[in-house]
C-alpha cells in the first residue's frame, strides 16, 4: 500500500488538539524549569548545609535516573501516599523539575562567574547579600545563560512526548491513536514530526527575540 | 558626640592576609568636609585601607569610626549585617572599574538602591536619579545601558549612584586609572564639584596634579604604613622622607 497524505485532513482535529497539549505542557514545564532552576541554584550555592545536602541528593536523582521513571513515580507512586495528581499536572511537574535541575547547573556556574565587583558595588550602596543576589547577581547570571537554557527548552519539548506514557494525549500519543484507527503510521508520524519542527522553530524565534532584547543589557 | 575633629577616625588599623601584613597600625582622622588624598606605590595597601573603611575588607585589628559611630563594631552576625548595611548607605564608594550594573540603565543604576532601601516610590526614585545624573552631566544619557557609555561616562554614572544615597563620606579608589587620558578630565571635574560642595572625601589617586589642586591633605603610603603626610604644597614641594622623594621623583617625572 502506497503513501496517501490525503487522509490527513479527516484526522487533523485530533492531531491539532494533541499539538495544543504539547504546547501547553512545554510552556508550563518550561516556566517551572526556569524559575525552579533559579531557586535550585540559590539553594545549591547558598542554603545552609542541612538544606543543601538533602537537596543535592534529590537533584542527583533527577539527573541520574530516566525521566520516564520519574514520571511514573510522580503519577503512580505518589498516589500511594495520598497525592493523586491529574496526568497533565504530574507530567508538567516531572518535566519541569527534571529540567529545572539541568537549568540550575547552568545558572550556578553563571552566578559564580559574575564579576566579584558586582556584588561589592551592590553591598557598597547598602544592599544585603540577599538583595544583591536578587537584584544584581542573578539577573546577570540568567542573562548569560539564555542560549544554553534555550537548548534545554528544546530538549524539554522533545521529551514532552514521554508524558504520553501516563496518558496525556499530547502530540505523539494523538498520532498513535489516529494510526491505531487508520493503519497509516508513516503519514501521521511524519505529520507529528512536522508539528514538532514548527513548534521548535517558534521556540527558537522566541529565544532570538529574548536574546536581542537583552543584548544591550549585558 | 560628633566631634568635628574626628568625623572619620581610623584607629590603629591593622590588616593581615596570612603572614602578609598589609596595613601596619594606621591611624587617620578626617574632619567633616575635608579631602584627603592617598598616594603610594602599587601594593602599598591603599585599596585595602579604603575598603576597610566600609568593611568590604574587614580589618584584623583596629577601629573605624564615622560621625561618632563605629563602623566595624563587634556585634552578633545578624545585628552586624543590619548595622553594616546602614553604615554603608552613608559611605559612597567609587571603583577603578566602575562596577556599574550592566543589566540596568543609568537611571536604574542610580535609582535602585534608594528605591529598595529608603522606601522611595518609583516617581521619587526617578526624580532622584534625574537630579543626580544631571549633577554629573549625564542626564541626556539617563536611559542608556552601561554598554552604550564611554569609560568616563560610566564613572560619572557610578558617582551619581553613590551620591543618590546621600552619603556622608565618599571613597574613590583610583577612579580615573582605567580611563583613556582624554576622559580623565570629565571625571575630575565632577570630583572637583563635590569638593566645592564640601563633601568629605578620601581619594586614592596616581594623579599628583589633581591631588594638589583639590586636596587638603596628602598621605604617602608605602608597605602598609603612612610614611609621610601633610598639605599638598608641603608634601609635594618639600617632602622630608627619602622614600617620599624617591616616589615623587619617579611619578612627577613620569607625568611630565
Ligand atoms: N585578598 C587578598 N589576599 C592576599 N593578599 C592580598 C589580598 N588583597 C590584597 N592583597 C595584598 O595586599 C597588598 C596591598 O594591596 P592593595 O591594598 O591592593 O594595594 P594598593 O591599592 O596600594 O595597590 C598587596 O601586597 C596585595 O598583594
Ligand atoms: Mg589599589
Amino acid at each position: 500500500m502506497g503513501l496517501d497524505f490525503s487522509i490527513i485532513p479527516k484526522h487533523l482535529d485530533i492531531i491539532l488538539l494533541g499539538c495544543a497539549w504539547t504546547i501547553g505542557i512545554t510552556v508550563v514545564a518550561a516556566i517551572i524549569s526556569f524559575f525552579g532552576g533559579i531557586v535550585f541554584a540559590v539553594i545549591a550555592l547558598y542554603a545552609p548545609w542541612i538544606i543543601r545536602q538533602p537537596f543535592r541528593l534529590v537533584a542527583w536523582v533527577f539527573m541520574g535516573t530516566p525521566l520516564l521513571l520519574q514520571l511514573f513515580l510522580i503519577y503512580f507512586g505518589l498516589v500511594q501516599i495520598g497525592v493523586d495528581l491529574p496526568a497533565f499536572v504530574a507530567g508538567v511537574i516531572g518535566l519541569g523539575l527534571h529540567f529545572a535541575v539541568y537549568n540550575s547547573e547552568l545558572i550556578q556556574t553563571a552566578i559564580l562567574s559574575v564579576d566579584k565587583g558586582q556584588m561589592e558595588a551592590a553591598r557598597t550602596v547598602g544592599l544585603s547579600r540577599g538583595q544583591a543576589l536578587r537584584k544584581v547577581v542573578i539577573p546577570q547570571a540568567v542573562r548569560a545563560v539564555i542560549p544554553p537554557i534555550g537548548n534545554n527548552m528544546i530538549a524539554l519539548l522533545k521529551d514532552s512526548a514521554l508524558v504520553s506514557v501516563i496518558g496525556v494525549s499530547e502530540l505523539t500519543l494523538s498520532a498513535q491513536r489516529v494510526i491505531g484507527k487508520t493503519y497509516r503510521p508513516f503519514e501521521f508520524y511524519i505529520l507529528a514530526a512536522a508539528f514538532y519542527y514548527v513548534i521548535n522553530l517558534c521556540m527558537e524565534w522566541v529565544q532570538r527575540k529574548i536574546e536581542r532584547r537583552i543584548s544591550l543589557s549585558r | 558626640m560628633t566631634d568635628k575633629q574626628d568625623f572619620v577616625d581610623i584607629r590603629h588599623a591593622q590588616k593581615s592576609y596570612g603572614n602578609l601584613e598589609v596595613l601596619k597600625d594606621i591611624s587617620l582622622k578626617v574632619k567633616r568636609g575635608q579631602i584627603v588624598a592617598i598616594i603610594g606605590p602599587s601594593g602599598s595597601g591603599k585599596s585595602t585601607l579604603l575598603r576597610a573603611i566600609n568593611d568590604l575588607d574587614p580589618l584584623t585589628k583596629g577601629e573605624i569610626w564615622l560621625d561618632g559611630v563605629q563602623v566595624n563594631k563587634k556585634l552578633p552576625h545578624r545585628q552586624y549585617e543590619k548595622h553594616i548595611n546602614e553604615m554603608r548607605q552613608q559611605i559612597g564608594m567609587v571603583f577603578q572599574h566602575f562596577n556599574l550594573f550592566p543589566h540596568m540603565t543609568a537611571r536604574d543604576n542610580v535609582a535602585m538602591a534608594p528605591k529598595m532601601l529608603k522606601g522611595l516610590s518609583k516617581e521619587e526614585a526617578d526624580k532622584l536619579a534625574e537630579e543626580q545624573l544631571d549633577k554629573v552631566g549625564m542626564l541626556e544619557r539617563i536611559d542608556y545601558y552601561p554598554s552604550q557609555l564611554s569609560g568616563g561616562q560610566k564613572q560619572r554614572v557610578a558617582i551619581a549612584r553613590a551620591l543618590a544615597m546621600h552619603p556622608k563620606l565618599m571613597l574613590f579608589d583610583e577612579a580615573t586609572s582605567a580611563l583613556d587620558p582624554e576622559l580623565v578630565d570629565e571625571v575630575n571635574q565632577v570630583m572637583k564639584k563635590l569638593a566645592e560642595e564640601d563633601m568629605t572625601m578620601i581619594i586614592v589617586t596616581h594623579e599628583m596634579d589633581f591631588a594638589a589642586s583639590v586636596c587638603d591633605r596628602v598621605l604617602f603610603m608605602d608597605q602598609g604604613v603612612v610614611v609621610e603626610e601633610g598639605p599638598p604644597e608641603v608634601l609635594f614641594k618639600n617632602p622630608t622622607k627619602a622614600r617620599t622623594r624617591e616616589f615623587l621623583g619617579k611619578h612627577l617625572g613620569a607625568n611630565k
Side-chain angles (χ1 to χ4, degrees):
Chain A
M1 115 178 153
L3 298 181
D4 178 12
F5 285 95
S6 67
I7 193 169
I8 287 176
K10 227 171 93 185
H11 302 278
L12 196 57
D13 51 344
I14 298 179
I15 300 292
L16 284 177
L17 193 62
C19 215
W21 276 104
T22 288
I23 293 170
I25 293 165
T26 304
V27 168
V28 178
I31 292 168
I32 293 174
S33 78
F34 179 75
F35 291 103
I38 295 172
V39 172
F40 289 179
V42 171
I43 292 174
L45 291 177
Y46 303 109
W49 186 88
I50 190 94
I51 298 171
R52 211 169 61 228
Q53 289 310 323
F55 173 80
R56 286 225 169 121
L57 184 70
V58 174
W60 178 83
V61 168
F62 268 103
M63 292 191 86
T65 65
L67 176 56
L68 192 59
L69 183 107
Q70 295 162 22
L71 291 172
F72 283 150
L73 186 68
I74 292 171
Y75 187 57
F76 299 114
L78 288 185
V79 176
Q80 279 178 275
I81 55 168
V83 185
D84 189 0
L85 299 170
F88 174 81
V89 176
V92 151
I93 291 177
L95 266 178
L97 293 184
H98 182 83
F99 282 93
V101 172
Y102 282 97
N103 286 345
S104 153
E105 298 288 313
L106 293 170
I107 294 168
Q108 282 176 53
T109 313
I111 286 176
L112 295 177
S113 23
V114 170
D115 179 25
K116 296 272 169 294
Q118 292 292 309
M119 176 57 90
E120 285 184 354
R123 297 307 305 272
T124 297
V125 283
L127 266 60
S128 70
R129 205 166 119 99
Q131 289 171 323
L133 278 174
R134 187 155 54 82
K135 284 295 210 180
V136 174
V137 176
I138 290 172
Q140 291 180 50
V142 169
R143 278 172 168 76
V145 289
I146 289 294
I149 285 183
N151 293 342
N152 279 354
M153 297 302 96
I154 302 282
L156 188 155
L157 164 67
K158 292 188 277 185
D159 282 353
S160 71
L162 285 172
V163 175
S164 62
V165 299
I166 56 172
V168 180
S169 306
E170 45 66 69
L171 186 48
T172 300
L173 186 56
S174 302
Q176 263 166 350
R177 288 197 171 139
V178 173
I179 291 161
K181 283 193 273 183
T182 60
Y183 303 105
R184 289 280 175 184
F186 191 85
E187 288 86 340
F188 284 99
Y189 282 139
I190 285 288
L191 181 65
F195 275 118
Y196 277 114
Y197 183 64
V198 170
I199 301 172
N200 205 316
L201 287 182
C202 293
M203 289 173 74
E204 280 175 20
W205 178 79
V206 170
Q207 186 187 334
R208 269 201 307 278
K209 271 214 105 96
I210 294 173
E211 278 175 41
R212 201 161 322 135
R213 250 193 105 138
I214 63 172
S215 68
L216 281 181
S217 58
R218 291 199 47 185
Chain B
M1 180 74 203
T2 314
D3 190 345
K4 225 179 166 286
Q5 214 44 45
D6 46 12
F7 186 65
V8 179
D9 189 0
I10 300 169
R11 299 180 190 163
H12 305 291
Q14 196 265 330
K15 168 87 182 174
S16 302
Y17 289 109
N19 287 333
L20 179 69
E21 205 179 1
V22 177
L23 299 178
K24 301 167 185 164
D25 192 30
I26 291 188
S27 293
L28 166 65
K29 291 181 196 296
V30 183
K31 289 181 205 163
R32 195 193 291 268
Q34 248 192 356
I35 299 164
V36 173
I38 303 177
I39 61 170
S42 172
S44 56
K46 307 181 297 294
S47 296
T48 307
L49 178 63
L50 212 60
R51 292 159 57 86
I53 294 174
N54 63 4
D55 208 47
L56 274 185
D57 285 340
L59 290 177
T60 310
K61 265 194 237 149
E63 295 176 1
I64 311 279
W65 291 74
L66 172 65
D67 201 10
V69 182
Q70 188 177 353
V71 176
N72 62 343
K73 71 176 153 195
K74 297 269 169 292
L75 286 171
H77 179 73
R78 273 267 166 90
Q79 276 164 273
Y80 183 71
E81 282 299 304
K82 190 164 176 294
H83 164 75
I84 196 66
N85 291 337
E86 278 163 15
M87 293 308 297
R88 282 176 180 155
Q89 293 180 33
Q90 303 169 32
I91 306 174
M93 184 155 197
V94 176
F95 302 87
Q96 182 176 353
H97 296 288
F98 331 125
N99 296 350
L100 282 185
F101 308 132
H103 59 302
M104 296 181 192
T105 59
R107 180 197 299 276
D108 289 339
N109 263 279
V110 178
M112 187 258 290
K115 207 157 47 187
M116 287 190 82
L117 303 173
K118 299 207 158 159
L120 300 195
S121 69
K122 190 175 162 359
E123 289 72 35
E124 289 166 329
D126 269 354
K127 190 159 160 286
L128 177 65
E130 279 160 25
E131 282 164 16
Q132 298 305 328
L133 285 167
D134 190 23
K135 186 164 178 177
V136 298
M138 286 296 295
L139 191 54
E140 324 85 87
R141 301 271 156 129
I142 188 163
D143 288 315
Y144 283 47
Y145 283 97
S147 65
Q148 298 169 290
L149 301 175
S150 73
Q153 292 171 332
K154 282 184 202 169
Q155 196 59 297
R156 286 188 279 151
V157 173
I159 293 172
R161 172 175 71 182
L163 293 176
M165 296 304 286
H166 300 302
K168 292 175 172 172
L169 166 68
M170 285 285 287
L171 309 173
F172 292 84
D173 193 357
E174 302 196 28
T176 56
S177 292
L179 299 178
D180 293 337
E182 73 272 18
L183 302 178
V184 167
D185 197 51
E186 61 189 76
V187 174
N188 282 345
Q189 290 307 321
V190 170
M191 291 169 70
K192 275 206 175 118
K193 197 160 150 189
L194 290 181
E196 283 155 16
E197 293 169 9
D198 288 330
M199 175 64 81
T200 312
M201 303 199 263
I202 303 179
I203 301 171
V204 170
T205 183
H206 283 149
E207 286 179 81
M208 305 305 151
D209 292 339
F210 180 71
S213 67
V214 302
C215 295
D216 303 295
R217 204 147 49 103
V218 180
L219 269 69
F220 171 63
M221 264 180 83
D222 192 18
Q223 298 182 2
V225 297
V226 177
V227 175
E228 184 167 357
E229 66 166 290
E233 57 277 12
V234 176
L235 192 118
F236 287 130
K237 303 251 166 60
N238 299 305
T240 56
K241 300 283 195 325
R243 265 199 282 175
T244 317
R245 275 199 296 273
E246 189 194 347
F247 175 81
L248 289 176
K250 269 192 224 153
H251 256 265
L252 295 176
N255 274 359
K256 296 285 142 70

